[in-house]
């Protein structure tokens, strides 16, 4: 039971992006600002010259910000907004890294979506007897989009491909499960 | 249909056979030359795709009976060309296993059918 929980945690860690960096950078910046402020206060108390600005000048300095060039103020504001949106996105987004998993009794398996896409493309090309280059697979969160370019004059049986791919996914039993969507291009290729 | 039945998974031997565009072109040239009764050296073809079907574009000389001979009274040039157009598409299809959607034939120049060369 405990191994299962361990696997679940490992899988979760592997299939979602860590936010360590996104947390660490703002925290370090905040820490540096606080350290600087503390140093300025101590220097003020010791009646020593300030490093950048004495604490007594801070409020007037902030009030004087409106006297700066509005263009630069706008740029700085835009940068701050973008930074805020990026951090919000990182924090609230799902942070999926495009991986599937399967937890068995003996092992946990984590597979990159690109590997699944390659495997599906190979199976599709075999099922339809077409070149590997005539199949393009794009994997979304819950759908595998399979785009087939037929050989001119050779009809493609989409149902045959669908059943082959579904049988393969059935065998993999990966989570989150994938649906198969097959699209056959109207324009074929004379010689693949 | 028999070609389709052969594509059941597991019944094929591993590997794939592909026909190059050049080979398809040569087959089309030969089929056109045979259907029209003109030398293959004077036939030009291009193989393209339309809606997943093969389109053959053929440029060949018009086959004419030997000059000086009385007209045989058979079908006219256009009728024979139409017949050849259908025949070459079917022949191409039979040889390559590809479905032909359209055959465009353009007669350009003439080719006089000579029974034997006079020295």
């Amino acid at each position: 039971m405990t191994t299962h929980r361990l696997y679940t945690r490992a899988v979760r860690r592997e299939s979602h992006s860590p936010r360590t960096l996104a947390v660490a950078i703002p925290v370090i910046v905040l820490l540096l600002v606080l350290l600087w402020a503390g140093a300025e206060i101590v220097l003020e108390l010791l009646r020593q010259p300030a490093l950048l600005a004495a604490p007594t000048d801070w409020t007037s300095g902030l009030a004087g910000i409106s006297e700066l060039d509005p263009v630069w103020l706008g740029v700085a504001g835009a940068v701050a907004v973008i930074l805020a949106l990026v951090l919000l996105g990182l924090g609230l987004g799902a942070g999926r890294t495009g991986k599937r998993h399967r937890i068995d009794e003996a092992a946990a398996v984590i597979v990159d979506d690109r590997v699944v896409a390659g495997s599906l493309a190979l199976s599709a090309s075999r099922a339809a007897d077409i070149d590997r280059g005539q199949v393009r697979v794009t994997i979304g969160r819950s759908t595998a989009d399979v785009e087939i370019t037929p050989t001119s004059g050779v009809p493609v049986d989409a149902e045959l491909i669908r059943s082959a791919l579904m049988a393969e996914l059935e065998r993999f039993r990966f989570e989150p499960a994938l649906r198969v969507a097959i699209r056959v291009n109207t324009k074929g290729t004379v010689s693949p | 249909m028999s070609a389709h039945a052969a594509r059941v998974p597991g019944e094929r031997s591993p590997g794939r056979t592909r026909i190059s565009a050049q080979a398809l072109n040569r087959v089309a040239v030969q089929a056109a030359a045979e259907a029209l009764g003109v030398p293959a050296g004077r036939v030009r073809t291009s193989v393209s795709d339309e809606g997943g079907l093969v389109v053959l574009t053929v440029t060949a000389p018009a086959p004419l009976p030997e000059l000086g001979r009385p007209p045989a009274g058979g079908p006219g040039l256009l009728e024979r060309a139409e017949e050849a157009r259908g025949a070459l598409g079917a022949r191409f299809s039979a040889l390559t296993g590809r479905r032909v959607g359209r055959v465009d034939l353009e007669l350009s120049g003439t080719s006089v059918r000579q029974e034997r060369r006079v020295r």
Side-chain angles (χ1 to χ4, degrees):
Chain A
M1 213 47 224
T2 40
T3 40
H4 190 274
R5 259 176 49 209
L6 196 70
Y7 282 157
T8 313
R9 226 178 92 181
V11 161
R12 160 91 205 171
R13 284 206 166 189
E14 283 298 322
S15 58
H16 291 74
S17 79
R19 279 64 169 257
T20 325
L21 206 67
V23 170
I25 290 174
V27 164
I28 287 171
V29 169
L30 194 68
L31 209 66
L32 287 176
V33 168
L34 287 177
L35 274 175
W36 168 75
E40 292 285 28
I41 289 169
V42 170
L43 288 174
E44 173 81 8
L45 289 174
L46 296 174
R47 308 240 181 276
Q48 296 290 315
L51 291 171
L52 289 170
T56 43
D57 300 334
W58 288 352
T59 45
S60 62
L62 272 178
I65 209 167
S66 57
E67 285 157 33
L68 289 171
D69 189 343
V71 174
W72 287 114
L73 276 180
V75 169
V79 168
V81 165
I82 289 169
L83 205 67
L85 286 179
V86 166
L87 288 176
L88 265 179
L90 282 175
L92 300 177
R96 292 187 192 88
T97 49
K99 290 188 173 80
R100 315 266 141 193
H101 67 267
R102 171 172 129 191
I103 300 175
D104 286 342
E105 276 179 36
V109 180
I110 296 158
V111 178
D112 198 293
D113 277 353
R114 281 171 293 186
V115 176
V116 179
S119 167
L120 289 181
L122 194 64
S123 295
S125 75
R126 282 195 186 142
D129 191 23
I130 52 177
D131 205 76
R132 169 70 183 77
Q134 287 168 270
V135 186
R136 218 172 66 194
V137 180
T138 320
I139 293 200
R141 191 151 74 88
S142 59
T143 323
D145 281 303
V146 182
E147 186 190 334
I148 310 259
T149 307
T151 308
S152 298
V154 184
V156 166
D157 188 347
E159 276 315 306
L160 186 78
I161 299 172
R162 187 193 310 281
S163 59
L165 296 190
M166 273 165 40
E168 178 159 350
L169 289 173
E170 190 64 38
R171 222 170 43 243
F172 286 160
R173 286 189 291 113
F174 285 136
E175 296 282 331
L178 278 171
R179 278 182 296 113
V180 178
I182 294 184
R183 195 155 55 84
V184 179
N185 281 339
T186 41
K187 191 158 176 62
T189 170
V190 169
S191 178
Chain B
M1 215 49 225
S2 63
H4 198 80
R7 280 202 301 276
V8 173
E11 284 186 13
R12 265 177 289 122
S13 59
R16 268 181 39 72
T17 307
R18 47 185 291 276
I19 310 175
S20 74
Q22 202 188 4
L24 290 173
N25 242 315
R26 292 303 305 165
V27 172
V29 164
Q30 208 58 46
E34 278 175 23
L36 283 162
V38 296
R42 293 189 57 194
V43 179
R44 298 278 171 273
T45 62
S46 92
V47 183
S48 53
D49 181 278
E50 191 180 84
L53 295 173
V54 172
V55 174
L56 297 176
T57 311
V58 180
T59 308
L64 292 181
E66 201 171 344
L67 293 177
R69 288 197 164 201
L77 176 63
L78 202 61
E79 284 166 62
R80 278 190 294 136
E82 278 299 300
E83 202 177 293
R85 207 166 63 84
L88 84 89
R91 184 106 177 92
F92 180 90
S93 223
L95 286 171
T96 60
R98 305 280 191 94
R99 291 192 191 175
V100 175
R102 207 177 74 211
V103 180
D104 291 331
L105 175 62
E106 187 190 336
L107 294 179
S108 162
T110 58
S111 168
V112 176
R113 203 176 302 180
Q114 288 177 322
E115 304 300 323
R116 71 192 131 83
R117 198 168 282 274
V118 182
R119 282 192 175 267

